Amino acid sequence: QVHLVESGGGSVQAGGSLRLSCAASGYTYSSYCMGWFRQAPGKEREGVAAIDSDGSTSYADSVKGRFTISSDNAKNSLYLQMNSLQPEDTAMYYCAADRIDCMADIQDLGVVDFELWGQGTQVTVSS
């Protein structure tokens, strides 16, 4: 059984940085699309960044130049380095995975495009 477990969330001041991690256990597929989504209170879950098995990445316009997604296949892990955090980045962040390469950029992928989800990790940015 595959599990995704996020960690690394926390509270920071505006301009600060956090690095989120997602550990994938029982996940051995040669092709994959993995992404980070976020959901703020009262808002829909939105895609933040995605990476697939050939290393292709995509980002939401709101985080381009500030966030970096990466993966370590040897460790079955996904990461999201978040720099220059702003209060509008405050949300629950979720790791997601699917067993095929990303079919589109993250801005064109939705919740239904990912099969597996973690439980989320909270990121709070204060001004």
Side-chain angles (χ1 to χ4, degrees):
Q1 192 171 4
V2 179
H3 293 284
L4 302 178
V5 180
E6 303 95 334
S7 61
S11 297
V12 296
Q13 290 190 328
S17 298
L18 283 174
R19 186 186 192 220
L20 305 184
S21 298
C22 173
S25 61
Y27 197 83
T28 59
Y29 306 112
S30 58
S31 296
Y32 61 81
C33 178
M34 297 194 75
W36 289 97
F37 283 71
R38 67 186 181 186
Q39 188 168 18
K43 295 188 177 181
E44 292 187 355
R45 194 169 297 190
E46 63 173 355
V48 174
I51 187 169
D52 65 15
S53 55
D54 70 4
S56 297
T57 60
S58 60
Y59 297 91
D61 286 342
S62 58
V63 306
K64 280 181 181 176
R66 300 189 299 123
F67 291 9
T68 302
I69 189 171
S70 62
S71 62
D72 185 333
N73 293 338
K75 295 183 179 180
N76 275 358
S77 293
L78 179 72
Y79 306 99
L80 185 68
Q81 178 66 44
M82 306 186 294
N83 298 328
S84 302
L85 283 162
Q86 299 300 316
E88 52 266 35
D89 296 316
T90 294
M92 185 72 78
Y93 283 71
Y94 297 90
C95 171
D98 200 53
R99 288 178 279 183
I100 59 174
D101 285 331
C102 298
M103 300 301 290
D105 288 347
I106 189 63
Q107 294 184 104
D108 296 317
L109 295 174
V111 171
V112 297
D113 294 308
F114 290 85
E115 178 184 11
L116 303 166
W117 291 85
Q119 83 289 349
T121 185
Q122 178 67 37
V123 171
T124 302
V125 185
S126 57
S127 58

